[in-house]
């Protein structure tokens, strides 16, 4: 939508204060989008992108630390010359951004976008990155692990973030432990006799010669250092197809096998969506149980009831408290603070501890992701070094276990247990001395800065992949979206998908398909339910229609209030998209509003200094006067995702109108100026481009 650059005019937008010619062909011809020059995959020379930043050579596989204003390992990997290249890593030979299919069907998107990584797995990472990242700040702090986008110690707490972290915990730790438990069930069942017999023979032989601990260590080293051994010792099988009690084949909870990595086996449109929906429902179910517990609800003894912007909507977080108070009052108690002196301090304590709990959950999920990425690395990160480092740390343990008798091992263990219990004064004094002599020594000893140094979390992996696209002026297309329901028939299974499960082909097919009699029974039940008069649904429909009318009236009033200068009203304009409007933009232009005015948010990477700007003129041929604002990419210090409405109103508006709410994005520059962009349909995609373009080292808040 903006004027194309020409050799005589590389900055057609007339960016104020930016020279349109380069003074030094070699050094300054690189834009801030590319803080490095292209080098070999193992050695990248860092170009001085900021004043005072000298050159230095970094060994990528060695994982050198980054400090000061120098870029991170993620930046270096993004511009390295990778051996296996995808469409986003090719040199397109053009100054303009290459559109790799942002608005195209999945089948028309180049495959692979990143070498060595299937597009489906890439989109899983990006989709989960969108849910995890809310607020990032640029930092100049020392990064011991060499990677940015770590979680800040003072990270803001919000219920949305807590939910996102619990969902991450489900998708990583809980699903992983489920898989481990089902492997144990398969081994114990003897349904795979050869494999179980091999494990049994190895164990009891080691037991007879007092070598069980060396056996454990050698087996662990083998599984870590030699990946093919994992499939031999623990052949994979669809998670939902294995019965955790018997180790045999069972019908998935969803009635069919539509996905392999989910606990229910539910069908999915794209890889990873089923387990993401499970995680969402996992958290929602906990919330429903907590709410029911607070209200003292008993579904077996109570009859069902049917009941019913921002300031007029009751706060859902108070519903449980009010329901609990009502239950106490009904039993003759006194729930008010006048009679209950524990109420206020307990509520305050719970909210104070909410942030540390959220941080612990995030640290557990991060640790699990780092171990997973060390054992099965994703390109462009090193493929062998992290895995071999993990195996090497266990080798001395083998030698020690061979030279130590079981009795000595038990005696040493008991000594350390006793020392940890009774030596608190010694431990406390030692910790105090370390805090004085070596501040932040705990940070330096964290596993992410020692054993797993340079190994990314999924978020750090994702931002590196996004940076690869930006470094080559080929932004990665967003994950595909579809309004179609998931397929109703399970995909075909091969012998490799099922693994060595002790079941015939007929038994497997019977398990993964719905029983015809059961399907007919469910269909008849649905038809009967549809014929029954639903008085409750009519009441809900009445309230929904009334609420929708109220919402539309309120938003209509905002149009008037915005014209007379109300900033809050301006920020709400356009939050409900028109059903007829089709949003077809990106990767350069993004529809949105600035101060309530419609226009295009666009990213210019062809000028001497890349920048993000806003213009109300959506036609070509803009000039300097058309720019409402412009911010150099390198000047951005903070990006904050904001809701288009307050979270209470967003719930009500979404329910009443059955429409998505267009959200907002705040951009803060190095001068401290905050720019708020609202009603952005592709807010996540805009955020991902801005966060991946510049040389900033980010910290998640």
């Amino acid at each position: 939508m903006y004027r194309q650059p020409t050799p005589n005019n590389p900055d057609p937008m007339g960016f104020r204060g930016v020279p349109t010619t380069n003074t030094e062909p070699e050094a300054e011809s690189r834009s801030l989008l590319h803080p490095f020059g292209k080098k070999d995959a193992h050695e990248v020379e860092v170009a001085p992108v900021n004043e005072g930043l000298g050159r230095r050579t970094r060994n990528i596989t060695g994982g050198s630390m980054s400090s000061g204003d120098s870029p991170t390992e993620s930046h270096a990997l993004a511009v390295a010359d990778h051996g296996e290249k995808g469409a986003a890593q090719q040199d397109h030979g053009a100054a303009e951004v290459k559109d790799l299919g942002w608005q195209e069907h999945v089948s028309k998107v180049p495959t692979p976008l990143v070498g060595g990584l299937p597009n489906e797995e890439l989109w899983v990472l990006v989709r989960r990155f969108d849910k995890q990242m809310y607020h990032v700040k640029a930092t100049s702090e020392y990064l011991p692990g060499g990677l940015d986008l770590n979680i800040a110690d003072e990270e803001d707490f919000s219920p949305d973030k807590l939910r996102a972290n619990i969902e991450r915990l489900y998708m990583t730790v809980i699903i992983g432990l489920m898989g481990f438990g089902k492997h144990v069930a398969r081994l114990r069942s003897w349904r795979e006799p050869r494999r179980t017999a091999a494990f049994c023979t190895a164990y009891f032989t080691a037991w007879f010669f007092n070598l069980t601990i060396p056996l454990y260590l050698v087996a662990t080293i083998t599984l870590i250092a030699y990946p093919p051994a994992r499939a031999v010792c623990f052949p994979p099988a669809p998670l939902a197809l294995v019965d955790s009690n018997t180790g045999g084949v069972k019908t998935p909870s969803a009635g069919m096998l539509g996905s392999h990595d989910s606990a229910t086996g539910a069908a999915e449109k794209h890889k990873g969506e089923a387990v993401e929906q499970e995680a969402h429902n996992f958290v929602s179910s906990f919330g429903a149980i907590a709410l029911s517990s607070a209200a003292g609800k008993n579904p077996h003894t109570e009859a069902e009831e049917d009941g019913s912007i921002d300031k007029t909507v009751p706060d859902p977080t108070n519903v449980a408290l009010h329901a609990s108070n009502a239950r106490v009052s009904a039993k003759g108690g006194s729930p008010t603070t006048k009679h209950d002196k524990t109420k206020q301090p307990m509520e305050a304590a719970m909210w104070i501890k909410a942030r540390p709990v959220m941080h612990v959950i995030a640290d557990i999920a991060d640790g699990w992701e780092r171990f997973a990425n060390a054992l099965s690395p994703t390109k462009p990160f090193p493929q062998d070094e992290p895995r071999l480092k993990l195996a090497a740390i266990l080798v001395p343990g083998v030698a020690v276990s061979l030279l130590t008798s079981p009795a000595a091992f038990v005696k040493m263990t008991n000594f350390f247990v006793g020392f940890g219990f009774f030596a608190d004064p010694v431990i406390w004094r030692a910790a105090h001395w370390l805090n004085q002599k070596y501040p932040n020594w705990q940070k330096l000893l964290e596993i992410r800065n020692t054993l797993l140094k340079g190994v990314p979390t999924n978020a750090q992996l994702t931002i590196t992949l996004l940076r690869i696209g930006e470094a080559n002026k080929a932004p990665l297309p967003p994950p595909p979206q579809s309004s179609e329901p998931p397929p109703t028939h399970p995909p075909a299974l091969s012998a490799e998908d099922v693994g060595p499960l002790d079941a015939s082909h007929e038994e497997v097919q019977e398990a993964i398909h719905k029983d015809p009699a059961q399907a007919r029974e469910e269909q008849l039940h649905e038809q009967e339910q549809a014929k029954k008069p639903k008085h409750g649904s009519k009441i809900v429909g009445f309230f929904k229609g009334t609420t929708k009318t109220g919402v539309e009236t309120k938003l209509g009033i905002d149009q008037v209030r915005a014209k007379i200068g109300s900033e809050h009203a301006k920020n709400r304009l356009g939050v409900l998209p028109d059903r007829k409007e089709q949003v077809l933009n990106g990767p350069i232009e993004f529809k949105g509003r600035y101060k309530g005015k419609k226009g295009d948010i666009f990213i210019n990477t062809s000028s001497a200094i890349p920048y993000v700007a806003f213009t109300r003129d959506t036609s070509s041929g803009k000039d300097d006067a058309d720019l409402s604002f412009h911010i150099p990419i390198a000047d951005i210090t903070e990006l904050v995702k904001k809701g288009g409405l307050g979270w209470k109103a967003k719930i009500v508006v979404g329910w009443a109108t059955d429409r998505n709410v267009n959200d907002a994005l705040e951009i803060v520059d190095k001068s401290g100026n905050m720019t708020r962009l609202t009603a952005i349909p592709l807010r996540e995609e805009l955020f991902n481009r801005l966060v991946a373009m510049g040389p900033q080292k980010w910290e998640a808040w």
Side-chain angles (χ1 to χ4, degrees), residues 335-453:
T336 62
T337 54
K338 182 177 179 181
H339 296 274
D340 185 0
K341 299 301 181 181
T342 66
K343 179 179 174 62
Q344 185 174 353
M346 279 303 298
E347 289 180 11
M350 291 299 293
W351 281 105
I352 289 172
K353 296 298 182 183
R355 187 175 77 172
V357 169
M358 180 184 74
H359 205 103
V360 168
I361 293 173
D363 285 344
I364 293 172
D366 283 349
W368 189 279
E369 291 174 356
R370 284 191 176 96
F371 272 106
N373 287 327
L375 296 175
S376 301
T378 300
K379 293 182 179 180
F381 282 89
Q383 299 296 291
D384 298 321
E385 183 187 358
R387 187 175 70 250
L388 297 178
K389 191 188 297 184
L390 281 175
I393 203 72
L394 297 176
V395 172
V398 177
V400 171
S401 64
L402 289 172
L403 300 174
T404 305
S405 66
F409 180 80
V410 171
K411 194 169 185 178
M412 285 191 300
T413 303
N414 291 336
F415 170 78
F416 286 117
V417 170
F419 184 83
F421 189 86
F422 294 106
D424 183 67
V426 177
I427 296 172
W428 180 84
R429 285 178 173 82
H432 180 69
W433 180 82
L434 285 171
N435 289 333
Q436 288 184 325
K437 290 289 185 179
Y438 306 100
N440 297 323
W441 62 272
Q442 299 99 327
K443 288 282 185 186
L444 297 176
L445 293 180
E446 287 180 356
I447 194 168
R448 64 177 178 176
N449 299 328
T450 52
L451 187 59
L452 295 180
K453 179 183 170 184

Side-chain angles (χ1 to χ4, degrees), residues 6-211:
T6 63
N8 296 326
N9 185 16
D11 185 14
M13 298 304 300
F15 186 77
R16 287 189 285 259
V18 177
T20 56
T21 59
N22 295 332
T23 56
E24 296 181 21
E26 291 295 328
E28 294 193 12
S29 61
R30 300 188 190 98
S31 70
L32 290 178
L33 175 64
H34 306 286
F36 312 103
K38 295 272 185 169
K39 294 289 178 182
D40 184 77
H42 299 284
E43 188 174 331
V44 176
E45 187 177 5
V46 180
V49 296
N50 293 324
E51 185 178 354
L53 175 61
R55 293 178 181 269
R56 76 186 184 97
T57 301
R58 119 185 358 252
N59 187 320
I60 299 305
T61 58
S64 64
M65 296 181 182
S66 60
S67 61
D69 290 330
S70 60
T72 66
E73 303 294 352
S74 173
H75 290 88
L77 286 172
V79 297
D81 188 11
H82 308 115
E84 185 178 358
K85 296 184 179 181
Q89 296 164 289
Q90 303 292 336
D91 184 5
H92 302 289
E96 192 50 62
V97 165
K98 175 73 173 179
D99 187 348
L100 294 178
W102 275 55
Q103 302 296 338
E104 298 292 341
H105 189 267
V106 178
S107 59
K108 296 183 180 179
V109 176
T111 302
L113 290 165
V114 178
L117 184 66
N119 287 356
E120 286 284 352
E121 294 185 13
L122 169 64
W123 285 326
V124 168
L125 290 169
V126 174
R127 196 165 55 238
R128 296 177 184 178
F129 179 85
D130 293 343
K131 294 179 180 179
Q132 182 182 349
M133 289 295 120
Y134 289 88
H135 182 188
V136 295
K137 289 183 181 180
T139 179
S140 59
E141 296 294 326
Y142 180 71
L143 300 178
L147 294 170
D148 62 339
L149 211 62
N150 294 300
I151 298 175
D153 292 334
E154 301 80 16
E155 179 191 17
D156 300 328
F157 172 81
S158 71
D160 273 350
K161 282 187 180 179
L162 179 60
R163 181 187 188 102
N165 280 307
I166 297 176
E167 289 182 3
R168 282 181 64 212
L169 188 74
Y170 177 87
M171 292 185 288
T172 54
V173 179
I174 295 178
I175 287 292
L177 293 177
M178 282 184 185
F180 175 75
K182 295 199 174 186
H183 272 294
V184 171
R186 287 168 59 186
L187 279 172
R188 295 186 64 209
S189 69
W190 284 88
R191 291 176 179 271
E192 303 167 44
R194 290 185 179 179
R195 187 162 69 102
T196 304
F199 272 80
C200 180
T201 303
Y203 177 83
F204 281 105
T205 301
W207 170 80
F208 183 80
F209 291 103
N210 291 327
L211 295 174

Side-chain angles (χ1 to χ4, degrees), residues 306-307 532-546:
D306 293 317
K532 290 182 179 179
K534 297 182 180 180
H535 303 291
S537 62
K538 291 181 180 179
I539 297 173
V540 172
F542 170 77
F543 280 108
K544 186 173 182 179
T546 305

Side-chain angles (χ1 to χ4, degrees), residues 219 508 578 630:
V508 172
D578 189 346
H630 49 256

